[in-house]
């Protein structure tokens, strides 16, 4: 599985960005996929995840109501729509995937085996 993120950039507080994660194969129907972020000096944090084609979604409390995760299976692409961005959202954003994620651990980075290279989001 190969994952490639895009869509990061610099935006003012209150603005929006949409991140994309292109997968190498048809994994969305059977994998748990998600977005994580890591700011300098901080641990990698789960942001949002979506399970097996969208049957369930999970969000970190800090982004609930502002971010939305979605899939386009026809394009093998996952998205993260980020609205009402705040300076504390500044981080490197990664997409991740795994075929087996334990219930209750959908936002735990250690559950995921496949990672993209990351895309930087800066909010000022």
């Amino acid at each position: 599985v190969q994952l490639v993120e895009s869509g990061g950039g610099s935006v003012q507080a209150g603005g929006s960005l949409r991140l994309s994660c292109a997968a190498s194969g048809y994994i969305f129907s059977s994998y748990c996929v998600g977005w994580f972020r890591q700011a300098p000096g901080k641990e990698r944090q789960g942001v949002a995840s979506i399970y097996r084609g969208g049957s369930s979604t999970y969000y970190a409390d800090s982004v609930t109501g502002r971010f939305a995760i979605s899939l386009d299976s026809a394009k093998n692409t996952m998205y993260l729509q980020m609205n009402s961005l705040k300076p504390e959202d500044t981080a490197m954003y990664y997409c991740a995937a795994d075929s087996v994620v334990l219930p209750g651990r959908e936002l735990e980075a250690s559950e995921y085996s496949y990672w993209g290279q990351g895309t930087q989001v800066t909010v000022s």
Side-chain angles (χ1 to χ4, degrees):
V1 175
Q2 292 184 330
L3 304 169
V4 180
E5 303 96 335
S6 61
S10 296
V11 64
Q12 290 187 336
S16 299
L17 282 174
R18 188 177 79 158
L19 305 183
S20 300
C21 173
S24 60
Y26 296 95
I27 65 170
F28 294 139
S29 63
S30 59
Y31 276 55
C32 188
V33 290
W35 289 97
F36 294 76
R37 66 187 182 188
Q38 189 167 19
K42 295 188 176 181
E43 292 187 354
R44 193 165 294 189
Q45 174 193 24
V47 175
S49 65
I50 190 164
Y51 191 66
R52 293 189 176 179
S55 60
S56 300
T57 56
Y58 308 87
Y59 293 94
D61 290 344
S62 59
V63 306
T64 297
R66 299 189 298 123
F67 290 11
I69 189 170
S70 63
L71 301 174
D72 186 334
S73 296
K75 296 182 178 180
N76 292 335
T77 302
M78 174 175 65
Y79 301 99
L80 183 69
Q81 178 66 44
M82 305 187 295
N83 299 325
S84 302
L85 283 161
K86 304 176 181 180
E88 51 263 43
D89 295 319
T90 294
M92 185 72 78
Y93 282 71
Y94 300 89
C95 62
D98 206 290
S99 59
V100 178
V101 173
L102 293 178
R105 295 184 59 81
E106 293 84 0
L107 295 177
E108 296 293 330
S110 60
E111 290 291 311
Y112 292 80
S113 300
Y114 304 100
W115 292 86
Q117 83 289 348
T119 186
Q120 178 68 37
V121 172
T122 303
V123 185
S124 59

